[in-house]
Amino acid sequence: MRLLFALILTIATSQVLAQTAPLAGPFGTPDVLDVDFASAGEFFALKRVKDGAELLSVHVTENTSVRYAFNPKPGEVIRGFKILPQRRFAFVIGHGEGDHYRETLYVVHLSSRKLREVLTADALRFTEVVPADQLGFEILRDVAGRRPQTHLLRVEFDSGHGDVLAKLPGHCDLQSNPSGQLAYADCVDSAGQRQYWQAPVKGKTWTALTVPKSVRGSHLVGTFLNGDLFFEQRPPAGGARLLRLSGSQVLELAYSQSRMPDRYLRSLDHLVILGVVWLTGEPSAELLDMAHPDVQRYLEWTIKHERTMIEVLGRSADQRLTLVAMTRMDQPKVFELWHRDEVLARRIGIAAREAYVPGEQTRDPRQLALRDGVLRDGFVTRKGKQTGRLAVIMADPAPTWGFAPFAFSLAEHGFTVLELGSRAALAQDQQAEDLIDALKWARNLELADDRPACLFADPGVLAKASPKLYAQATSCQIALVDGHQPTLAAEAEPMLRAAVDNAEGAAVKDMASTGTPNP
């Protein structure tokens, strides 16, 4: 049984706060980036930005006082962190450049504050699949090269050594069974081929897991409460298909030609799949396992917190405290610690020191039909009801519901912004056709005025599209680094400056030729 319910219906309108940044005001200044929570409920950890640099800090839950802090050196990057049992805190730091890049695992005892360097590797990843216990924890070590491998390591608190539990070919993601035991691996080799493995009941030898032909190549996302496997399949043309493998039977749970899942709802202990969240297009969540008792909690929270996407990040073992991330359409993400008796609802971190609240701006989901008949989901952002100059952003990943500072920044400066995702799996010639189709779609619907549009896309896509564009659409083409929308004000500023300067130049040219400015 499935239940579809809307997570968000409208964008709240609020007064615009004064902005200090000349162009990239909606970006604000990032503060808290990520949070982790101890299962004992005693500590929580924050990754945050202070004075332009990242830092880690562990706080006492009761009074939020700082228990431990780590400031990376110049050139070091925080790759991951985790609060563990026995008052331990582990984190991974990346350092070096190019072929000399490595990642190092550190463990600190929060009572003595003694820091220990454990190991260094090409890359290290914490895993939620194998829970830490009172003696140690597991971590994944990625080995690069012509034949990449993933090693599952066991780090003992006393010895501090990383012992190898398993070696798997390729870059692997691990999944547990409903009981919390390591059960499956989904591995991709250097050629992009996918293979599935099943964990041994005894010993260290993993066995190949055979799946039906219709499932091969799909990403193994997790398991359901009854042990069925859950897969996500993404066709090259776009969209997604969600599959449930029950024995040898394959059930299609959901399919969209244009939308892709943004995240998956898991049980509060993070062991099994409850549902899927779609944030491209009209945002919604679909519950896929109504029999699980945690479903009722999600329903209660969704009703109580309107226009808000709630994600459970952690829960204390006694279920007294729950750490959540809350995302609204018009504001950056915030983190809160909830008490089960609802006496304490403490915000433990804000996502921007200078929060930006769009006043007259709207961001509406729209669906486009491209020349190959494929439907695409996108968003149109504008300030009020005005039809400003058109800006088309085609980027990877696809735009989703939530705070979109780059689109908001362009709208703040008079643009009507159309966002859509690039089908990165296709050739750049085909992506260029998508960009041209999106421009024509916006023109046909008269979403903006008739001034030349500004196009934002991967530089290779712009190069392919430029010769095919009519003259008035080629005056403003701005390359997105690696085809991604900028996420920091410093990255966005030169792009916004180029777009605004181009718009001002176009207005001056129009006034010179007609005697009146084009509004």
Side-chain angles (χ1 to χ4, degrees):
M1 180 179 181
R2 299 179 293 167
L3 178 65
L4 188 66
F5 62 95
L7 283 176
I8 181 90
L9 298 177
T10 59
I11 303 177
T13 56
S14 307
Q15 220 171 358
V16 178
L17 300 180
Q19 299 301 310
T20 56
L23 286 177
F27 282 83
T29 304
D31 184 5
V32 175
L33 304 178
D34 201 4
V35 182
D36 191 37
F37 184 53
S39 60
E42 185 179 5
F43 301 104
F44 64 87
L46 302 176
K47 174 185 175 182
R48 65 194 316 154
V49 173
K50 185 177 182 181
D51 299 329
E54 290 184 349
L55 62 87
L56 276 176
S57 57
V58 180
H59 301 255
V60 179
T61 302
E62 184 178 353
N63 55 23
T64 70
S65 61
V66 177
R67 185 67 184 175
Y68 177 79
F70 180 84
N71 297 286
K73 299 175 183 178
E76 294 182 339
V77 182
I78 302 169
R79 288 303 184 192
F81 60 97
K82 191 175 183 64
I83 300 182
L84 302 164
Q86 300 286 30
R87 300 170 70 92
R88 259 73 168 195
F89 176 58
F91 56 95
V92 174
I93 299 296
H95 48 87
E97 296 181 358
D99 294 339
H100 299 289
Y101 176 81
R102 295 292 184 271
E103 294 182 358
T104 299
L105 171 67
Y106 297 91
V107 176
V108 61
H109 197 298
L110 294 176
S111 295
S112 64
R113 296 182 176 87
K114 182 179 179 181
L115 182 67
R116 171 187 286 171
E117 180 178 327
V118 179
L119 59 93
T120 297
D122 293 331
L124 294 164
R125 293 178 286 148
F126 290 106
T127 174
E128 299 291 340
V129 174
V130 187
D133 54 37
Q134 299 300 312
L135 300 178
F137 65 101
E138 275 71 31
I139 193 167
L140 296 177
R141 177 175 64 190
D142 294 322
V143 180
R146 295 179 59 186
R147 294 184 178 181
Q149 289 187 333
T150 298
H151 297 172
L152 176 63
L153 306 180
R154 168 76 176 182
V155 179
E156 299 288 346
F157 290 138
D158 291 337
S159 66
H161 299 306
D163 297 325
V164 178
L165 299 181
K167 293 184 179 181
L168 294 165
H171 181 83
C172 304
D173 291 325
L174 305 183
Q175 300 296 340
S176 63
N177 59 25
S179 300
Q181 299 169 325
L182 177 61
Y184 306 103
D186 178 354
C187 301
V188 180
D189 62 22
S190 57
Q193 298 299 312
R194 192 178 295 271
Q195 189 171 7
Y196 313 101
W197 299 89
Q198 193 161 8
V201 178
K202 295 181 180 180
K204 294 186 178 182
T205 303
W206 288 61
T207 57
L209 177 65
T210 303
V211 299
K213 186 176 181 180
S214 59
V215 175
R216 294 172 193 168
S218 305
H219 174 47
L220 176 58
V221 178
T223 60
F224 288 99
L225 185 60
N226 67 350
D228 290 352
L229 301 184
F230 181 50
F231 291 86
E232 175 193 302
Q233 194 174 82
R234 295 199 176 186
R241 179 177 283 106
L242 305 183
L243 306 172
R244 181 170 186 159
L245 179 60
S246 180
S248 60
Q249 185 180 10
V250 179
L251 305 175
E252 184 178 287
L253 300 179
Y255 169 72
S256 175
Q257 186 188 65
S258 58
R259 309 176 73 188
M260 292 181 291
D262 182 76
R263 64 193 67 178
Y264 291 97
L265 295 175
R266 293 183 180 269
S267 56
L268 299 183
D269 57 13
H270 283 239
L271 292 179
V272 297
I273 294 290
L274 297 185
V276 57
V277 177
W278 308 84
L279 297 184
T280 50
E282 190 68 34
S284 61
E286 192 168 4
L287 295 175
L288 305 174
D289 192 353
M290 293 297 294
H292 199 287
D294 289 347
V295 165
Q296 187 61 33
R297 296 294 292 165
Y298 275 105
L299 290 173
E300 293 172 357
W301 290 334
T302 302
I303 294 171
K304 184 175 180 179
H305 300 272
E306 285 188 85
R307 309 187 186 101
T308 304
M309 180 23 217
I310 296 173
E311 182 181 4
V312 177
L313 301 180
R315 212 177 194 200
S316 60
D318 59 6
Q319 301 186 6
R320 184 174 59 90
L321 297 170
T322 302
L323 174 66
V324 299
M326 305 178 69
T327 306
R328 294 175 61 93
M329 173 70 85
D330 55 357
Q331 297 177 18
K333 183 181 293 185
V334 297
F335 302 94
E336 291 190 354
L337 199 59
W338 292 351
H339 193 280
R340 68 180 174 192
D341 298 326
E342 300 184 2
V343 176
L344 169 70
R346 178 182 298 160
R347 178 169 294 187
I348 62 176
I350 61 174
R353 294 184 188 277
E354 298 175 8
Y356 174 81
V357 181
E360 300 176 354
Q361 291 189 12
T362 59
R363 188 164 183 259
D364 301 318
R366 304 294 289 269
Q367 194 167 72
L368 299 71
L370 304 183
R371 70 183 69 188
D372 57 5
V374 174
L375 297 177
R376 303 291 304 284
D377 283 291
F379 287 89
V380 173
T381 303
R382 55 162 58 102
K383 188 173 183 178
K385 297 181 179 180
Q386 68 180 18
T387 54
R389 187 183 183 188
L390 179 64
V392 180
I393 303 173
M394 193 174 80
D396 180 46
T400 63
W401 170 84
F403 189 59
F406 191 56
F408 285 151
S409 297
L410 286 168
E412 189 69 21
H413 292 280
F415 286 88
T416 295
V417 186
L418 169 62
E419 297 173 83
L420 74 157
S422 62
R423 296 190 285 181
L426 302 182
Q428 289 187 333
D429 283 330
Q430 294 172 285
Q431 295 181 53
E433 292 179 356
D434 287 355
L435 181 62
I436 296 171
D437 286 351
L439 177 60
K440 291 180 179 178
W441 177 86
R443 290 298 192 200
N444 291 337
L445 292 184
E446 298 181 349
L447 293 180
D449 60 36
D450 57 0
R451 284 178 290 177
C454 260
L455 307 180
F456 298 82
D458 180 270
V461 174
L462 289 175
K464 296 289 185 181
S466 185
K468 304 176 183 179
L469 291 168
Y470 45 90
Q472 69 165 351
T474 61
S475 64
C476 181
Q477 298 182 36
I478 300 174
L480 298 178
V481 179
D482 296 326
H484 304 320
Q485 286 199 46
T487 56
L488 299 175
E491 300 171 343
E493 189 84 19
M495 299 181 191
L496 293 169
R497 177 66 63 189
V500 171
D501 289 349
N502 186 280
E504 292 173 350
V508 171
K509 182 178 180 181
D510 182 78
M511 184 171 62
S513 62
T514 63
T516 57
N518 193 342

